[in-house]
Amino acid sequence: MAFSFFKKDKKEEPKTVKKEEHHAGPRYYDLRIKNIVQETRDAITIVFEQPAGQPIVYKSGQFLTLIAPVNGKEVRRAYSLCSSPFVDQDLAVTVKRVDLGLMSNWLPDNLRVGQTLRIMEPMGQFTTEFDAQRKRHLVMFAGGSGITPMMSIVKSTLTQEPESIVSLIYCNRDLESIIFRQELERWEERYEGRLHVVHVLDTAPMNWTGYSGLLNREMLVKLFERIPSWSADKTTYLMCGPEGMMRNVEALLHDHAIARDKIFKESFVQGVLDKQAEAPPAAGSEEAKTREVTIRYDNQEYKVTVAPQDTILQSALDQGIDLPYSCQSGLCTACRGKALSGKVKLDEEEGLSQSERAEGYVLTCVGHPMSDDVVIEIG
Ligand SMILES: Cc1cc2nc3c(=O)[nH]c(=O)nc-3n(C[C@H](O)[C@H](O)[C@H](O)COP(=O)(O)OP(=O)(O)OC[C@H]3O[C@@H](n4cnc5c(N)ncnc54)[C@H](O)[C@@H]3O)c2cc1C
Ligand code: FES
């Protein structure tokens, strides 16, 4: 769910109905790598230099799309910015290796300081506005690499909202896998009483005085005793981490009678969707029809033919239409558009909030047309 705290292979020329000559599309940059920091055994932070003259504007909680040639193919992945626009001069993302993962292994194995890497402009709804007059308590649950958007929001909150406080419950496998451990300690010291970090480890060393074990109901009660208790209307809960952890935390928060509209999450990984395991649509069914979808984007209108089992985004890309996208998993909302008419089925709805769905928003990367009159407006 979006946390707005308030909230190519070109086969043929795309069929377009031109409205204007101008076509900007998503903005891309070739950013120079200023530094690479080995954070833990399997996580690095990539620090990018801001482009000269026109710095990239972003919000805490947003992500960059990194684009790299992996095994001769262009691969894109989303990485949340761990830097804060209020604190850090440069842009930074932290990448944690995933077993057999394409990009998360290619980046640390191939990138060097001084090289440039192509990125797509910052995007994402897991963000908030900061206001010096605001007084709020952000309770964050992070797991592993899920610390990245939190790190940015922590820094921005502490520096921009003098009366707000942050409690961060950070779950990791073991002591060595804690990303930003020292940095968090420094922020805790500098903003004493306003940042409370509680570590939870799956496997703790002998002398560990913190928490260890599963984040279950008893653990949550104990953790809540460790963090300040503010009134419900001033407290917001954020989570980002492995799917299992987030499901668990969400259920526990609901048990604690925390209202749903106070809980926001950012997913890095697809949950239940397993495209390979999906049965092909039955012949003759609505899902088995090839349909034409109209896409309005950047003052252009495109007609995209979508075959059964293809997504709207993939069909558009195959037809040479440069639509915005990043994760291609229905999580990041970079491909979000509004269905002005027609019916669209989504394989994965995690990236959209209930109200976005009710307003007709769809994700083209996991969307399939279910009627012949689908018109989607992007941007
Ligand atoms: C909005 C958003 C922000 C993100 N921010 C970050 C970030 O700040 N830091 C970061 O390291 N990653 C982040 N990710 C995840 C990142 O985009 C990649 O998915 C991740 O690096 C794995 O890519 P890969 O190419 O190595 O793996 P792939 O080759 O795509 O996947 C290999 C296998 O690993 C599984 N897998 C993918 N990601 C994970 C994961 N995180 N944990 C466990 N299994 C996984 C896949 O399901 C697949 O089975 C973010 C994702 C999204 C959608
Ligand atoms: S590209 Fe990320 S949700 Fe579609």
Side-chain angles (χ1 to χ4, degrees):
M1 186 200 301
F3 151 65
S4 266
F5 265 115
F6 346 73
K7 227 194 195 164
K8 272 177 195 190
D9 290 336
K10 293 193 181 171
K11 288 187 179 141
E12 57 181 302
E13 281 302 301
K15 273 195 262 176
T16 64
V17 181
K18 243 182 180 176
K19 287 192 177 165
E20 262 183 35
E21 281 305 313
H22 168 76
H23 174 74
R27 258 170 297 171
Y28 296 91
Y29 302 84
D30 291 309
L31 295 186
R32 184 178 174 277
I33 298 166
K34 187 173 173 179
N35 199 5
I36 298 175
V37 182
Q38 191 75 44
E39 300 284 358
T40 63
R41 210 174 31 235
D42 55 5
I44 57 161
T45 293
I46 309 167
V47 183
F48 295 104
E49 224 166 71
Q50 282 276 18
Q54 216 178 3
I56 297 172
V57 175
Y58 67 99
K59 293 179 177 179
S60 276
Q62 287 193 310
F63 62 86
L64 289 183
T65 300
L66 271 47
I67 305 169
V70 183
N71 304 333
K73 228 181 117 201
E74 181 192 287
V75 176
R76 295 183 181 209
R77 295 286 184 271
Y79 292 97
S80 298
L81 285 144
C82 54
S83 52
S84 156
F86 301 104
V87 176
D88 302 299
Q89 200 189 338
D90 305 306
L91 302 155
V93 297
T94 300
V95 179
K96 184 169 175 175
R97 287 184 192 264
V98 166
D99 273 353
L100 305 176
L102 272 184
M103 188 72 134
S104 63
N105 291 296
W106 187 91
L107 291 166
D109 291 342
N110 291 277
L111 289 188
R112 299 289 174 267
V113 172
Q115 288 175 342
T116 56
L117 189 71
R118 197 154 184 73
I119 63 131
M120 191 169 72
E121 62 185 332
M123 292 183 175
Q125 315 290 322
F126 188 71
T127 182
T128 181
E129 301 298 328
F130 296 94
D131 175 358
Q133 305 306 316
R134 183 174 288 161
K135 191 172 176 180
R136 57 180 164 174
H137 183 194
L138 298 183
V139 180
M140 300 174 166
F141 292 87
S145 58
I147 190 65
T148 51
M150 305 301 188
M151 194 67 215
S152 180
I153 297 169
V154 163
K155 293 192 264 186
S156 297
T157 309
L158 294 177
T159 56
Q160 302 307 303
E161 296 186 359
E163 301 218 70
S164 294
I165 66 166
V166 182
S167 298
L168 168 67
I169 294 156
Y170 187 16
C171 306
N172 277 289
R173 232 180 7 247
D174 50 35
L175 201 58
E176 289 70 38
S177 40
I178 302 177
I179 303 171
F180 306 136
R181 187 167 165 221
Q182 274 90 30
E183 193 176 349
L184 284 166
E185 277 170 16
R186 284 197 294 275
W187 279 88
E188 232 179 342
E189 274 167 31
R190 198 179 318 157
Y191 290 91
E192 203 189 338
R194 291 186 52 217
L195 173 64
H196 304 83
V197 181
V198 184
H199 291 287
V200 181
L201 300 179
D202 290 349
T203 315
M206 293 293 280
N207 55 351
W208 178 244
T209 52
Y211 291 90
S212 63
L214 272 182
L215 194 53
N216 56 21
R217 187 187 301 262
E218 295 82 68
M219 172 82 80
L220 193 72
V221 171
K222 280 193 238 162
L223 292 172
F224 274 5
E225 284 166 6
R226 277 281 296 274
I227 63 175
S229 171
W230 279 30
S231 64
D233 62 319
K234 292 206 178 327
T235 309
T236 303
Y237 300 83
L238 314 182
M239 60 182 89
C240 184
E243 202 52 33
M245 182 208 104
M246 292 207 288
R247 257 202 312 271
N248 209 0
V249 170
E250 225 175 341
L252 293 166
L253 291 178
H254 291 158
D255 281 0
H256 251 71
I258 311 285
R260 276 176 199 275
D261 64 354
K262 290 285 184 186
I263 304 170
F264 299 89
K265 65 178 195 178
E266 179 79 316
S267 295
F268 283 0
V269 195
Q270 248 170 8
V272 283
L273 179 67
D274 181 355
K275 288 190 184 128
Q276 259 103 53
E278 269 182 18
S285 70
E286 286 303 296
E287 293 182 37
K289 290 185 184 157
T290 295
R291 299 178 195 275
E292 192 167 79
V293 171
T294 303
I295 295 184
R296 293 186 191 152
Y297 174 58
D298 218 18
N299 294 314
Q300 305 251 11
E301 194 167 284
Y302 302 94
K303 300 289 181 191
V304 179
T305 306
V306 186
Q309 281 195 296
D310 281 352
T311 64
I312 298 170
L313 174 73
Q314 193 52 56
S315 309
L317 295 175
D318 289 347
Q319 289 161 47
I321 304 168
D322 184 20
L323 296 183
Y325 72 95
S326 179
C327 72
Q328 286 184 275
S329 311
L331 300 170
C332 74
T333 71
C335 66
R336 192 181 79 149
K338 195 169 187 174
L340 304 179
S341 67
K343 211 173 143 213
V344 177
K345 176 181 151 260
L346 301 183
D347 293 328
E348 164 74 70
E349 297 190 330
E350 186 65 36
L352 294 175
S353 66
Q354 264 178 354
S355 61
E356 283 172 307
R357 272 176 253 161
E359 285 173 48
Y361 284 101
V362 296
L363 300 170
T364 61
C365 72
V366 287
H368 308 269
M370 288 292 118
S371 62
D372 294 324
D373 56 345
V374 173
V375 179
I376 298 173
E377 189 170 65
I378 296 175

